[in-house]
Amino acid sequence: MSLNSVSVTETRQQQLQALYLENRRERFKSEINRLTGGGMQQLLEPHPEAADLSFLLTYVYAWHWLQQHVAVEYQPALLAPFKGAARAFLMDLLEASESADDFVRAYIDHWLAAAGPGPAQREQLFRLLHSRGEDPHRLSGDILEIWQGLDLFSEPDQRRYAQIARIERNRYGETLGEADRERLALVDRLPDVPSARQQFDKLGLIPHMGCPQTCRHCMFIWRPFVRSEENPDRLYELVDKHTQSVLFTGGDLTRHMTHFYRAIGKMRHVRTFAILLNGDFAEDPGQTKALLDAMQQALESRPAGWPRARILLQISFDEFHQEVLIDKHGQLRERIPVAKIANIVELAPRYKDIQLALLHKQNRLNFSMDLFHKGVFGRLAQELGQRGHQLQILSTAPSERIKTLPGSTQSGQLIKDASFVLQGYPDSPILLTSSTIDAYGRAELLEEGESVREKAFLVEVLGRARSPGQGFDTDLMLWFNGWATLFSAVHICLGNVYEEGAELVLARQRKDPLSLALSGFDHRLLDFYAEKKDDLDALVATATGPHHLFHQLTQDAEMRLHMTRRLIG
C-alpha cells in the first residue's frame, strides 16, 4: 500500500471516528437525561428508597451502556466533553472502573472523602449509608443487588435478537395454519360485499424476503422463506387488473431485479412501478448507472400503445442504514456508505421517467431545518458538495399530527416530507419522506431518544371508539409464495392466491371483519384481547404507537380467530 493510500485511509478513519463519537455521544446523553429526569426512579418504584437510589443507579446504567455500545478505545473520547466541573468525577469513574462493582465502590468513596455540605447526590448517598448502619460495604452490596433486580443489560443484544427471532419464526410458522384456516372459513361464510371491479390505490409484491444488512431499527430479524416463483404471471395479472400502482418490496431486492423488469413489461395498466432498495448496489458511478439504465430500458421496452409508466425508486436513507460501525478487524465503516447514496442522487435526475425518493426515519432533527444540515442528510450534502454539487431545498411539508421531541416533553410539528434539487438539474426534484419507527423486531431494542414515537397519537386513539382512516393500510401485499397479506400488517394473511384463487382472496379482503377493525383501530379488539389474556395494560404502557399496539394485539393466530368470532357475533 502506498503512503498516499495510507494517508487517505487514516483521514477517512478520523472522519468516521468523529461521526461514530457524535452518534454514540448523543445516545449516551439522551439516556442519561431520560433516567435522571425520572426514568430510573420509575424503574425502581415502589422501592422506598427509589428517589435516593435513582441518581447512582443511572450511572451504573451508564457504565453498562458504555460496555455494550461503545468500543473501549473510544470511551475516553466519548466522555471527554462531559467532564465539566459538576460531573467530571463521574466521567472519570466511568472511564476508570473495570466493573460495575468498581464504579459503585468508587462512587461511595468519592462522597465519603468529599467535604460537606454538598450537592443533593451527596446527601442521597449519606441517607442510604445511614440506613445501613454507616457500613459502605453493605451499601455497595445492596446497590448491586438492587441493580441486578432491574434485569438491565443482563445479556448482550445479539442474544436478545436471537430470542426475538425465534418468536418471529414461530409466529410466521402459524401463517395459514389450523387457526388461520378456521378464521378464514368464518369469513367465507359471511355475505359478500359486492364490487363491480375492485380497485386499490396500490398493491404490493414480495418476490423475496431478505436483506444482508442488520439495521438496528428493522422490523424483521427472522424473515419468512418465500419460495422462488420464476413465472409469477398470475400475480402480475391480478395486480394489473386491480391497480395502477405497484410496490416491489421485501427487504433489499437488488438481487431480484429481473422480476421487477419483467413486471414492467407485463402490466399494461400499471402506471407507477415503485421499488424499495437499500442503495448498497451503488458501489461506484458505473454500477449505479448500469442499474438506472436497466430501469429506463425496461420502461422503454413496453409495447407501443401502452400507457406511459414511470418508476419510483425508493432508497432507504437514515441514521440506521448509514450508521458508523466497527467491523471485525477493528476498523470503522458505514453500514451503507453515504457515498453510495450520493452516487444515486447524482445520477438519477438524468432519467426523466425515474423519480428518486429517499425514505428517512424521523428523529429529533426533523423538528427544524437542522434536518438538512446535520445528521445523515448533512453528510449527504457535504459529500455532494465535494463533488461540485449544490443542494437546494424546494419545499417542506409538516406532519399532520403534533409529535413529541425524542427524549423530551416538548412537542410540535415536524418536517415529514421535502423535495430538493441539485443545482445542475433544477427541473428534476428528488423527494425525501420520513416515517416513524415502531418497536417490532430489532427496533424493540431501540432507545427512546433515537426516534420519534407516537405515544400522543396512541393516547388520542384510545380516547375514542374508532379512528376511521387512521389505522392499518388494508390494501393487499402479494407474496411470490402465494400469500396475500395486508399492506401494513403482514401478519394478517387472507389466503394463498395460487391455491385458492384470486377471487376468493379478494372477497375476503372486502368483508374480513378483523381487517376492517384494524383499519379503524376498533376499540373492541382491546376488549376481546383482554378476554383471553391479562397483559393488556402492559402492552398499552410499552406500545410506541397505536399501530404497534394493535399489531401486538393480533400477532397470535389463536387470538385472531377469537377476535374474528367475537366481531361476527
Side-chain angles (χ1 to χ4, degrees), residues 19 26 49 71 80 83 142 145-146 149 191 202 220 235 239 333 397 435 446 504 516 534 545:
L19 295 172
E26 185 62 37
E49 296 176 303
K83 290 188 176 183
D142 282 358
E145 183 177 346
I146 293 167
K202 79 280 175 199
F220 292 104
L235 295 183
V239 171
R333 67 174 182 86
S435 60
L446 285 186
L504 180 59
L516 294 173
D534 61 2

Side-chain angles (χ1 to χ4, degrees), residues 217-236:
H217 72 307
C218 188
M219 67 180 292
F220 292 104
I221 299 179
W222 183 87
R223 294 174 185 264
F225 173 71
V226 180
R227 184 182 71 243
S228 178
E229 179 62 59
E230 297 303 329
N231 187 26
D233 286 355
R234 291 174 62 185
L235 295 183
Y236 294 164

Side-chain angles (χ1 to χ4, degrees), residues 28 59 63 66-67 75-76 78-99 102-103 106-107 110:
F28 177 78
Y59 281 90
W63 186 88
L66 288 168
Q67 313 318 308
Q75 290 180 16
L78 182 143
L79 294 170
F82 300 116
K83 290 188 176 183
R87 296 287 184 267
F89 84 96
L90 284 167
M91 302 304 115
D92 289 339
L93 295 184
L94 288 172
E95 187 177 329
S97 299
E98 295 187 2
S99 68
D102 287 347
F103 177 83
Y107 182 90
H110 170 84

Side-chain angles (χ1 to χ4, degrees), residues 149-336:
L150 295 177
D151 196 29
L152 300 171
F153 299 103
S154 55
E155 52 191 359
D157 284 352
Q158 290 305 319
R159 189 174 301 166
R160 295 175 68 190
Y161 287 144
Q163 293 169 354
I164 297 170
R166 283 193 293 271
I167 294 171
E168 289 179 355
R169 183 174 64 247
N170 292 336
R171 284 181 185 146
Y172 277 104
E174 296 178 337
T175 301
L176 295 185
E178 183 178 348
D180 267 356
R181 289 295 183 189
E182 187 174 349
R183 189 186 89 79
L184 294 176
L186 293 174
V187 175
D188 290 340
R189 289 196 288 270
L190 294 172
D192 196 6
V193 178
S195 176
R197 179 165 180 173
Q198 192 169 358
Q199 288 294 301
F200 296 90
D201 289 339
K202 79 280 175 199
L203 290 170
L205 284 169
I206 299 180
H208 176 75
M209 257 291 186
C211 181
Q213 303 298 333
T214 55
C215 301
R216 292 188 302 111
H217 72 307
C218 188
M219 67 180 292
F220 292 104
I221 299 179
W222 183 87
R223 294 174 185 264
F225 173 71
V226 180
R227 184 182 71 243
S228 178
E229 179 62 59
E230 297 303 329
N231 187 26
D233 286 355
R234 291 174 62 185
L235 295 183
Y236 294 164
E237 291 170 7
L238 172 60
V239 171
D240 194 40
K241 184 178 178 181
H242 293 281
T243 190
Q244 293 186 4
S245 180
V246 65
L247 168 66
F248 275 71
T249 186
D252 181 67
L253 297 180
T254 302
R255 298 180 181 179
H256 304 271
M257 294 301 295
T258 53
H259 292 302
F260 184 64
Y261 303 143
R262 190 165 183 270
I264 292 173
K266 285 284 185 179
M267 301 184 196
R268 173 180 183 141
H269 302 99
V270 173
R271 309 290 183 88
T272 300
F273 291 87
I275 187 168
L276 175 61
L277 301 175
N278 64 18
D280 208 20
F281 68 87
E283 189 68 39
D284 54 48
Q287 293 185 48
T288 309
K289 184 176 183 300
L291 185 136
L292 294 171
D293 283 347
M295 288 184 170
Q296 186 65 41
Q297 179 60 39
L299 291 172
E300 293 173 355
S301 298
R302 283 165 64 88
W306 280 22
R308 184 175 177 178
R310 66 168 192 153
I311 288 172
L312 177 60
L313 174 57
Q314 300 178 336
I315 301 293
S316 300
F317 177 66
D318 49 55
E319 313 301 330
F320 302 100
H321 283 89
Q322 276 63 55
E323 185 174 15
V324 176
L325 311 167
I326 298 177
D327 67 19
K328 61 183 180 181
H329 304 296
Q331 294 293 297
L332 292 163
R333 67 174 182 86
E334 293 171 282
R335 186 184 298 281
I336 297 176

Side-chain angles (χ1 to χ4, degrees), residues 10-44:
E10 289 179 350
T11 300
R12 182 57 180 156
Q13 284 293 298
Q14 291 170 358
Q15 294 169 342
L16 291 175
Q17 178 178 330
L19 295 172
Y20 175 85
L21 289 173
E22 179 184 12
N23 171 267
R24 299 306 192 275
R25 196 175 285 136
E26 185 62 37
R27 288 172 57 190
F28 177 78
K29 177 182 175 182
S30 179
E31 283 294 272
I32 295 300
N33 288 342
R34 176 178 69 84
L35 294 170
T36 56
M40 180 56 74
Q41 186 166 335
Q42 287 180 350
L43 289 173
L44 289 165

